[in-house]
Amino acid sequence: ITARVNHQIGKDAQLKKTGIAVRTSAGVVSLTGEVQDLLISALASWTAWQVSGVESVKNDLTVKEGA
């Protein structure tokens, strides 16, 4: 699942340059890192949800100060 989520993130022009870290445990995907704005954070969650086998997404992404 982790590889598939990373692949989908890498296919998106807005997400591939963010350096989002992806971990998976028992179908739960955890996203960590720092992103430019809330829209990118939401897009990352949505992208992870689209991957087969994902049961839940835990978005621990933070938005950069002053963004």
Side-chain angles (χ1 to χ4, degrees):
I1 294 174
T2 301
R4 292 195 304 266
V5 172
N6 277 323
H7 177 73
Q8 292 300 332
I9 286 174
K11 286 173 46 177
D12 186 283
Q14 292 179 311
L15 295 177
K16 70 180 178 182
K17 57 188 173 192
T18 60
I20 294 171
V22 178
R23 288 187 316 239
T24 307
S25 176
V28 178
V29 174
S30 296
L31 304 174
T32 56
E34 193 174 59
V35 294
Q36 287 295 108
D37 56 47
L38 194 56
L39 290 176
I40 298 296
S41 177
L43 178 60
S45 289
W46 179 251
T47 300
W49 268 113
Q50 302 310 301
V51 173
S52 175
V54 173
E55 295 179 19
S56 179
V57 175
K58 183 179 179 199
N59 185 332
D60 288 327
L61 295 169
T62 58
V63 176
K64 290 182 181 177
E65 290 270 336

